[in-house]
């Protein structure tokens, strides 16, 4: 984009120089026509320069709005996945199963307490009563996963649907283990979110490497390459990673 702007500016300056040359050396009869043609060219190139800058500004504004909506969905997926791991011990790569889990799953409410009990082995060894402390976990009850995460909302039923971008786009959901530790990843390609935008700007966005940008060609939460449940977006897109 910068190279295009520089090229246009150079052409404008050269055109202005031509206007001056024409004014000095071209016969008077031809001057009006050539001057009008050159000034029209200057105006056209100026417009193209302005639109190239303004177009990128518009692209960035639209990109940020779409990313913000997608991030909210990704956070819902992460919350559901973390709940699934808490209850079952693993993540899932199946949205239908995840939805059913949200609807039917329950968190166990427990309470930890310490009790002092007689240590039979030590008591026999020393001939006197010996005691030890043990941790007792009491089950107090159960609470619905749906009520805990989504309260009165049923948005979890469409958590697989990408809310903006190319119609019909779904999030890609993966799950597995990394060094025997459960991991998951939910993602969508930026090109799907920005399918109706200038291809050059989309290609540039796919190559972003910046502390205040979404690095790489996808918007995602979690990772299949490292133990990480964060999103790959910076804080300026969301209060939470």
């Amino acid at each position: 984009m910068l190279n295009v702007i520089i090229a246009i500016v150079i052409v404008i300056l050269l055109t202005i120089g031509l206007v001056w040359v024409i004014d000095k050396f071209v016969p008077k009869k031809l001057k009006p026509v050539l001057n009008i043609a050159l000034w029209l060219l200057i105006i056209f190139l100026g417009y193209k320069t302005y639109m190239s800058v303004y177009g990128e500004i518009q692209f960035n504004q639209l990109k940020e709005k779409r990313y913000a909506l997608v991030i909210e969905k990704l956070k819902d997926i992460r919350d559901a996945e973390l709940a699934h791991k808490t209850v079952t011990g693993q993540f899932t790569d199946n949205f239908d199963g995840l939805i059913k889990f949200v609807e039917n799953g329950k968190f166990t409410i427990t309470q930890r307490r310490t009790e002092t009990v007689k240590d039979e082995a030590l008591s026999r060894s020393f001939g006197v009563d010996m005691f030890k402390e043990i941790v007792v976990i009491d089950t107090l009850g159960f609470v619905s996963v749906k009520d805990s995460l989504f309260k009165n909302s049923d948005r979890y039923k469409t958590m697989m649907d990408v809310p903006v971008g190319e119609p019909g786009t779904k999030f890609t959901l993966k799950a597995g283990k990394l060094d025997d530790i459960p991991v998951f990843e939910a993602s969508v390609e930026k090109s799907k979110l920005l399918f109706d935008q200038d291809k050059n700007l989309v290609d540039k966005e796919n190559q972003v490497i910046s502390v205040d940008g979404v690095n790489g060609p996808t918007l995602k939460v979690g990772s299949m390459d490292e133990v990480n449940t964060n999103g790959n977006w910076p804080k300026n897109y969301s209060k939470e990673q």
Side-chain angles (χ1 to χ4, degrees):
M1 180 62 69
L2 181 60
N3 291 337
V4 173
I5 294 173
I6 291 173
I8 293 174
V9 170
I10 290 173
V11 172
I12 290 174
L13 292 175
L14 288 174
T15 305
I16 293 173
L18 282 173
V19 171
W20 181 83
V21 169
I22 289 169
D23 185 60
K24 289 292 184 181
F25 303 106
V26 173
K28 290 183 178 180
K29 291 181 180 181
L30 296 177
K31 283 183 180 180
V33 176
L34 289 175
N35 281 339
I36 291 173
L38 288 172
W39 280 114
L40 287 175
L41 178 60
I42 291 171
I43 292 170
F44 172 75
L45 292 174
Y47 170 78
K48 294 293 288 185
T49 302
Y50 170 79
M51 288 307 297
S52 65
V53 175
Y54 183 61
E56 187 160 0
I57 292 172
Q58 286 185 310
F59 172 84
N60 287 330
Q61 290 175 341
L62 180 139
K63 173 193 72 178
E64 290 175 5
K65 288 179 181 179
R66 291 187 181 180
Y67 282 8
L69 293 172
V70 173
I71 286 168
E72 291 307 309
K73 279 271 195 171
L74 288 172
K75 289 195 293 186
D76 278 347
I77 295 172
R78 174 176 58 191
D79 291 344
E81 283 281 13
L82 289 174
H84 190 279
K85 179 177 178 290
T86 297
V87 175
T88 70
Q90 60 187 3
F91 295 117
T92 178
D93 60 1
N94 184 279
F95 273 116
D96 290 337
L98 189 59
I99 291 169
K100 289 179 181 177
F101 166 76
V102 171
E103 290 180 334
N104 304 314
K106 295 184 182 296
F107 290 118
T108 303
I109 303 174
T110 61
Q111 174 181 281
R112 295 168 63 92
R113 59 187 174 85
T114 302
E115 279 190 3
T116 301
V117 298
K118 184 178 179 180
D119 189 322
E120 298 293 347
L122 287 178
S123 296
R124 285 194 299 270
S125 298
F126 291 98
V128 295
D129 289 342
M130 303 290 290
F131 296 88
K132 63 181 179 180
E133 288 189 345
I134 61 172
V135 175
V136 178
I137 301 177
D138 296 322
T139 298
L140 302 180
F142 302 89
V143 62
S144 165
V145 172
K146 177 181 177 296
D147 292 341
S148 296
L149 299 183
F150 299 99
K151 302 189 184 300
N152 298 320
S153 173
D154 64 352
R155 68 182 186 274
Y156 67 91
K157 293 181 179 180
T158 59
M159 69 171 75
M160 75 291 290
D161 298 327
V162 178
V164 293
E166 188 173 0
T169 300
K170 308 285 186 182
F171 289 106
T172 298
L173 185 61
K174 300 176 182 178
K177 288 189 176 181
L178 191 64
D179 296 329
D180 211 33
I181 300 174
V183 292
F184 86 98
E185 179 180 302
S187 65
V188 61
E189 294 177 4
K190 290 179 179 178
S191 59
K192 296 286 187 180
L193 305 180
L194 305 169
F195 78 106
D196 54 352
Q197 299 302 298
D198 183 278
K199 185 179 183 301
N200 291 327
L201 294 176
V202 175
D203 289 343
K204 180 180 176 182
E205 174 62 20
N206 283 336
Q207 298 171 22
V208 164
I209 299 177
S210 169
V211 294
D212 58 356
V214 178
N215 295 335
T218 62
L219 188 55
K220 67 178 184 176
V221 66
S223 174
M224 296 301 292
D225 302 317
E226 59 180 326
V227 180
N228 176 17
T229 59
N230 289 333
N232 68 333
W233 55 85
K235 289 184 178 179
N236 55 299
Y237 282 99
S238 173
K239 293 180 180 178
E240 304 174 19
Q241 281 198 326

